Amino acid sequence: MNILVFIKQVPDTNEVKIDPVTKTLIREGVPSIINPDDKNALEEAIRIKEEYGAKVIVITMGPPQAETALREALAMGADEAYLLTDRVFAGADTYATAKTLSKMAKKFDYDIIFCGRQAIDGDTAQVGPQLAEQLNVPQVTYVKEVKIEGDTLIVKRALEDGYEVIKVKMPVLLTAIKELNTPRYPSIKGIFESYREKEVKIVTAADLGIDPQEVGLKGSPTKVISTTTPETQRAGEIFTGNVKECVQNLVQRLVEKHVI
Protein backbone atom coordinates (compact mmCIF):
# COMPACT_ATOMS: atom_id res chain seq x y z
CA MET A 1 0.00 0.00 0.00
CA ASN A 2 1.28 3.45 -0.91
CA ILE A 3 0.11 6.51 1.01
CA LEU A 4 0.79 10.03 -0.21
CA VAL A 5 0.71 12.79 2.40
CA PHE A 6 0.67 16.41 1.26
CA ILE A 7 1.88 18.82 3.93
CA LYS A 8 2.54 22.56 4.04
CA GLN A 9 5.07 24.57 6.00
CA VAL A 10 3.28 27.59 7.47
CA PRO A 11 4.29 30.53 9.68
CA ASP A 12 3.52 30.10 13.37
CA THR A 13 0.19 31.93 13.44
CA ASN A 14 0.81 33.72 16.73
CA GLU A 15 3.89 35.35 15.20
CA VAL A 16 2.39 36.57 11.92
CA LYS A 17 2.44 40.30 11.18
CA ILE A 18 1.37 42.25 8.10
CA ASP A 19 3.69 44.73 6.38
CA PRO A 20 1.67 48.01 6.46
CA VAL A 21 3.18 49.15 3.16
CA THR A 22 3.27 46.05 0.99
CA LYS A 23 0.21 44.41 2.64
CA THR A 24 1.99 41.05 2.62
CA LEU A 25 3.03 38.69 5.40
CA ILE A 26 6.27 39.50 7.16
CA ARG A 27 8.06 36.16 7.06
CA GLU A 28 11.56 37.25 8.04
CA GLY A 29 12.44 35.94 11.48
CA VAL A 30 9.09 34.18 11.86
CA PRO A 31 9.34 30.53 12.98
CA SER A 32 7.72 27.99 10.66
CA ILE A 33 5.90 24.79 11.53
CA ILE A 34 4.18 21.92 9.76
CA ASN A 35 0.53 22.90 9.36
CA PRO A 36 -1.28 21.27 12.35
CA ASP A 37 -3.99 19.45 10.36
CA ASP A 38 -1.29 18.14 7.99
CA LYS A 39 0.51 16.69 10.97
CA ASN A 40 -2.64 14.77 11.91
CA ALA A 41 -2.75 13.50 8.30
CA LEU A 42 0.87 12.38 8.51
CA GLU A 43 0.37 10.71 11.88
CA GLU A 44 -2.57 8.68 10.54
CA ALA A 45 -0.55 7.57 7.51
CA ILE A 46 2.27 6.38 9.79
CA ARG A 47 -0.24 4.61 12.05
CA ILE A 48 -1.67 2.74 9.05
CA LYS A 49 1.87 1.87 7.95
CA GLU A 50 2.64 0.40 11.36
CA GLU A 51 -0.64 -1.54 11.60
CA TYR A 52 -1.14 -2.75 8.03
CA GLY A 53 2.19 -2.19 6.26
CA ALA A 54 2.57 0.67 3.79
CA LYS A 55 5.02 3.13 2.29
CA VAL A 56 4.44 6.72 3.39
CA ILE A 57 5.51 9.34 0.87
CA VAL A 58 5.40 12.94 2.05
CA ILE A 59 5.27 15.84 -0.39
CA THR A 60 5.26 19.60 -0.04
CA MET A 61 5.42 22.60 -2.35
CA GLY A 62 7.29 25.68 -1.20
CA PRO A 63 10.59 27.56 -0.96
CA PRO A 64 13.85 25.67 -0.26
CA GLN A 65 13.47 26.17 3.49
CA ALA A 66 10.38 23.92 3.40
CA GLU A 67 12.89 21.06 3.42
CA THR A 68 12.91 21.44 7.20
CA ALA A 69 9.27 20.36 7.37
CA LEU A 70 10.03 17.31 5.24
CA ARG A 71 12.97 16.37 7.48
CA GLU A 72 10.62 16.49 10.47
CA ALA A 73 8.14 14.27 8.61
CA LEU A 74 10.91 11.78 7.84
CA ALA A 75 11.93 11.84 11.50
CA MET A 76 8.34 11.04 12.48
CA GLY A 77 8.32 7.95 10.25
CA ALA A 78 7.72 8.87 6.60
CA ASP A 79 9.72 6.78 4.10
CA GLU A 80 10.29 9.21 1.23
CA ALA A 81 10.13 13.00 0.88
CA TYR A 82 9.75 15.29 -2.13
CA LEU A 83 10.04 19.08 -2.24
CA LEU A 84 8.35 20.82 -5.16
CA THR A 85 10.28 24.04 -5.42
CA ASP A 86 10.57 26.37 -8.40
CA ARG A 87 10.13 30.09 -8.88
CA VAL A 88 7.23 29.48 -11.27
CA PHE A 89 5.26 27.85 -8.41
CA ALA A 90 5.33 31.09 -6.36
CA GLY A 91 2.09 32.99 -5.78
CA ALA A 92 -0.14 30.00 -6.50
CA ASP A 93 -3.74 30.08 -5.29
CA THR A 94 -5.57 26.90 -4.31
CA TYR A 95 -6.46 26.05 -7.93
CA ALA A 96 -2.89 26.33 -9.21
CA THR A 97 -1.55 24.56 -6.12
CA ALA A 98 -3.92 21.61 -6.54
CA LYS A 99 -3.03 21.41 -10.22
CA THR A 100 0.70 21.24 -9.44
CA LEU A 101 0.23 18.69 -6.66
CA SER A 102 -1.92 16.52 -8.94
CA LYS A 103 0.92 16.36 -11.46
CA MET A 104 3.16 15.04 -8.68
CA ALA A 105 0.58 12.57 -7.39
CA LYS A 106 0.21 11.06 -10.86
CA LYS A 107 3.84 9.95 -10.70
CA PHE A 108 2.90 7.36 -8.04
CA ASP A 109 0.64 4.34 -7.68
CA TYR A 110 -1.26 5.31 -4.55
CA ASP A 111 -4.03 3.86 -2.43
CA ILE A 112 -4.68 6.72 -0.02
CA ILE A 113 -3.89 10.43 -0.23
CA PHE A 114 -3.94 12.36 3.02
CA CYS A 115 -4.17 16.14 3.32
CA GLY A 116 -4.91 18.35 6.29
CA ARG A 117 -8.36 19.91 6.36
CA GLN A 118 -6.95 23.41 5.88
CA ALA A 119 -3.79 25.46 6.37
CA ILE A 120 -3.72 27.96 9.22
CA ASP A 121 -2.26 30.70 7.00
CA GLY A 122 -5.01 30.57 4.38
CA ASP A 123 -7.94 28.78 6.05
CA THR A 124 -9.49 27.93 2.68
CA ALA A 125 -9.88 24.13 3.07
CA GLN A 126 -9.89 23.98 -0.74
CA VAL A 127 -6.63 22.32 -1.78
CA GLY A 128 -7.54 18.79 -0.66
CA PRO A 129 -10.96 18.71 -2.39
CA GLN A 130 -9.55 20.38 -5.52
CA LEU A 131 -6.71 17.86 -5.63
CA ALA A 132 -9.24 15.01 -5.51
CA GLU A 133 -11.14 16.61 -8.40
CA GLN A 134 -7.93 17.01 -10.42
CA LEU A 135 -7.15 13.32 -9.86
CA ASN A 136 -10.77 12.19 -10.34
CA VAL A 137 -10.76 10.13 -7.12
CA PRO A 138 -13.40 10.06 -4.37
CA GLN A 139 -12.81 12.25 -1.33
CA VAL A 140 -13.91 12.32 2.28
CA THR A 141 -13.31 15.54 4.19
CA TYR A 142 -13.21 16.27 7.94
CA VAL A 143 -12.06 12.73 8.76
CA LYS A 144 -11.95 11.82 12.47
CA GLU A 145 -11.49 8.02 12.26
CA VAL A 146 -10.22 5.55 9.65
CA LYS A 147 -10.50 1.76 9.53
CA ILE A 148 -9.31 -0.48 6.69
CA GLU A 149 -11.26 -3.52 5.49
CA GLY A 150 -9.59 -5.05 2.44
CA ASP A 151 -9.66 -2.50 -0.36
CA THR A 152 -12.24 -0.40 1.47
CA LEU A 153 -12.04 2.30 4.12
CA ILE A 154 -14.65 2.84 6.82
CA VAL A 155 -14.39 6.52 7.63
CA LYS A 156 -16.07 8.70 10.23
CA ARG A 157 -16.65 12.20 8.88
CA ALA A 158 -17.21 14.93 11.46
CA LEU A 159 -20.33 17.09 11.28
CA GLU A 160 -21.30 20.09 13.42
CA ASP A 161 -23.72 17.96 15.45
CA GLY A 162 -22.17 14.49 15.22
CA TYR A 163 -20.62 12.37 12.50
CA GLU A 164 -21.48 10.22 9.50
CA VAL A 165 -19.95 6.86 8.57
CA ILE A 166 -18.81 6.51 4.96
CA LYS A 167 -17.65 3.35 3.21
CA VAL A 168 -15.33 4.15 0.32
CA LYS A 169 -13.03 2.13 -1.91
CA MET A 170 -9.40 3.01 -2.50
CA PRO A 171 -7.85 5.00 -4.08
CA VAL A 172 -9.35 7.85 -2.09
CA LEU A 173 -8.35 11.27 -0.75
CA LEU A 174 -8.98 12.06 2.91
CA THR A 175 -8.63 15.40 4.71
CA ALA A 176 -7.71 15.10 8.38
CA ILE A 177 -8.87 17.09 11.40
CA LYS A 178 -7.28 17.32 14.84
CA GLU A 179 -9.74 14.83 16.34
CA LEU A 180 -8.23 12.08 14.17
CA ASN A 181 -5.22 11.48 16.42
CA THR A 182 -2.42 13.03 18.44
CA PRO A 183 0.73 13.46 16.31
CA ARG A 184 3.85 11.88 17.75
CA TYR A 185 7.08 13.71 18.45
CA PRO A 186 10.06 12.70 16.31
CA SER A 187 12.45 10.38 18.12
CA ILE A 188 16.12 11.30 18.56
CA LYS A 189 17.02 8.31 16.36
CA GLY A 190 14.50 9.48 13.75
CA ILE A 191 15.96 12.98 13.70
CA PHE A 192 19.49 11.69 13.16
CA GLU A 193 18.35 9.35 10.39
CA SER A 194 16.30 12.05 8.66
CA TYR A 195 19.37 14.27 8.27
CA ARG A 196 22.12 11.67 7.83
CA GLU A 197 20.52 8.76 6.00
CA LYS A 198 17.38 9.97 4.24
CA GLU A 199 17.08 12.17 1.17
CA VAL A 200 14.71 14.98 0.32
CA LYS A 201 14.30 14.87 -3.44
CA ILE A 202 13.87 18.17 -5.28
CA VAL A 203 11.21 18.42 -7.99
CA THR A 204 10.94 21.36 -10.42
CA ALA A 205 8.30 22.40 -12.93
CA ALA A 206 10.41 20.86 -15.69
CA ASP A 207 10.47 17.54 -13.80
CA LEU A 208 6.66 17.59 -13.73
CA GLY A 209 6.45 18.50 -17.42
CA ILE A 210 4.12 21.33 -16.52
CA ASP A 211 3.53 24.56 -18.47
CA PRO A 212 4.79 27.52 -16.35
CA GLN A 213 1.82 29.56 -17.59
CA GLU A 214 -0.57 27.14 -15.84
CA VAL A 215 0.94 27.24 -12.34
CA GLY A 216 2.02 29.77 -9.75
CA LEU A 217 0.74 33.34 -9.94
CA LYS A 218 0.24 33.17 -13.72
CA GLY A 219 -1.99 30.11 -13.43
CA SER A 220 -4.04 31.45 -10.51
CA PRO A 221 -7.52 32.89 -11.15
CA THR A 222 -7.51 34.42 -7.64
CA LYS A 223 -6.11 37.97 -7.43
CA VAL A 224 -5.36 39.45 -4.00
CA ILE A 225 -5.91 43.23 -4.07
CA SER A 226 -5.05 43.94 -0.44
CA THR A 227 -4.46 42.28 2.91
CA THR A 228 -5.03 44.09 6.19
CA THR A 229 -5.46 43.32 9.88
CA PRO A 230 -8.30 44.86 11.90
CA GLU A 231 -7.29 47.74 14.10
CA THR A 232 -8.23 47.54 17.78
CA GLN A 233 -10.19 50.65 18.71
CA ARG A 234 -11.08 49.80 22.31
CA ALA A 235 -9.00 48.66 25.26
CA GLY A 236 -10.08 45.56 27.13
CA GLU A 237 -10.73 45.40 30.86
CA ILE A 238 -9.70 42.52 33.10
CA PHE A 239 -11.71 41.94 36.28
CA THR A 240 -9.90 40.65 39.33
CA GLY A 241 -11.22 38.92 42.43
CA ASN A 242 -13.25 35.76 42.91
CA VAL A 243 -15.75 34.48 40.37
CA LYS A 244 -18.75 36.10 42.08
CA GLU A 245 -17.07 39.51 42.19
CA CYS A 246 -16.01 39.25 38.54
CA VAL A 247 -19.53 38.34 37.42
CA GLN A 248 -21.02 41.22 39.46
CA ASN A 249 -18.53 43.65 37.89
CA LEU A 250 -19.28 42.33 34.41
CA VAL A 251 -23.04 42.68 34.90
CA GLN A 252 -22.58 46.21 36.23
CA ARG A 253 -20.54 47.19 33.17
CA LEU A 254 -23.12 45.71 30.81
CA VAL A 255 -25.90 47.63 32.59
CA GLU A 256 -23.89 50.85 32.34
CA LYS A 257 -23.45 50.27 28.60
CA HIS A 258 -27.20 49.52 28.25
CA VAL A 259 -26.37 46.10 26.84
CA ILE A 260 -28.68 44.43 29.37
Side-chain angles (χ1 to χ4, degrees):
M1 179 187 297
N2 286 331
I3 304 176
L4 306 185
V5 184
F6 287 95
I7 67 172
K8 183 180 182 183
Q9 187 184 51
V10 296
D12 191 325
T13 304
N14 292 332
E15 302 289 340
V16 167
K17 296 179 180 178
I18 302 293
D19 187 311
V21 178
T22 64
K23 311 298 183 187
T24 59
L25 291 176
I26 300 174
R27 296 181 182 274
E28 290 77 12
V30 177
S32 296
I33 58 174
I34 296 177
N35 181 58
D37 284 346
D38 299 351
K39 233 175 183 178
N40 293 106
L42 176 60
E43 173 61 32
E44 194 65 11
I46 296 170
R47 184 194 67 79
I48 291 173
K49 168 189 169 182
E50 293 171 343
E51 186 170 350
Y52 300 95
K55 177 188 286 185
V56 176
I57 301 165
V58 63
I59 301 167
T60 193
M61 185 177 84
Q65 55 264 35
E67 179 181 337
T68 304
L70 293 173
R71 295 286 179 191
E72 183 177 348
L74 289 170
M76 288 175 66
D79 298 293
E80 296 180 7
Y82 295 85
L83 172 57
L84 280 59
T85 185
D86 195 310
R87 286 188 178 276
V88 301
F89 295 152
D93 66 0
T94 58
Y95 175 82
T97 297
K99 189 166 189 173
T100 305
L101 299 183
S102 72
K103 291 284 187 181
M104 187 63 187
K106 289 176 181 177
K107 289 184 170 293
F108 300 94
D109 291 324
Y110 55 83
D111 301 285
I112 304 173
I113 297 176
F114 272 111
C115 297
R117 171 192 51 176
Q118 63 189 54
I120 58 175
D121 59 349
D123 280 339
T124 66
Q126 294 175 357
V127 171
Q130 288 187 18
L131 177 58
E133 291 298 318
Q134 293 274 357
L135 296 171
N136 194 29
V137 297
Q139 60 178 288
V140 182
T141 55
Y142 297 85
V143 170
K144 60 179 292 185
E145 185 178 309
V146 180
K147 293 182 180 177
I148 298 179
E149 293 183 358
D151 63 348
T152 301
L153 300 184
I154 309 299
V155 179
K156 282 186 180 179
R157 179 177 187 269
L159 304 173
E160 290 185 357
D161 55 353
Y163 63 86
E164 57 184 351
V165 179
I166 297 174
K167 189 175 183 180
V168 59
K169 283 196 171 185
M170 296 180 275
V172 60
L173 184 146
L174 309 176
T175 69
I177 60 176
K178 65 180 181 180
E179 288 80 4
L180 181 58
N181 52 48
T182 301
R184 69 192 67 189
Y185 289 103
S187 65
I188 299 298
K189 180 174 180 289
I191 294 171
F192 273 104
E193 290 179 349
S194 70
Y195 280 90
R196 293 182 175 179
E197 301 177 11
K198 295 185 177 180
E199 179 186 5
V200 173
K201 299 177 181 177
I202 303 300
V203 180
T204 65
D207 295 326
L208 295 177
I210 200 166
D211 183 351
Q213 299 297 318
E214 297 180 357
V215 295
L217 187 60
K218 293 181 179 178
S220 300
T222 305
K223 305 301 177 189
V224 178
I225 305 301
S226 177
T227 302
T228 59
T229 53
E231 294 182 4
T232 302
Q233 301 292 338
R234 294 172 293 182
E237 182 177 359
I238 299 175
F239 298 120
T240 58
N242 59 40
V243 174
K244 185 176 180 180
E245 291 170 343
C246 290
V247 170
Q248 288 175 339
N249 286 331
L250 174 60
V251 172
Q252 181 61 34
R253 293 293 190 281
L254 293 175
V255 171
E256 292 172 359
K257 299 289 184 182
H258 304 290
V259 175
I260 59 176

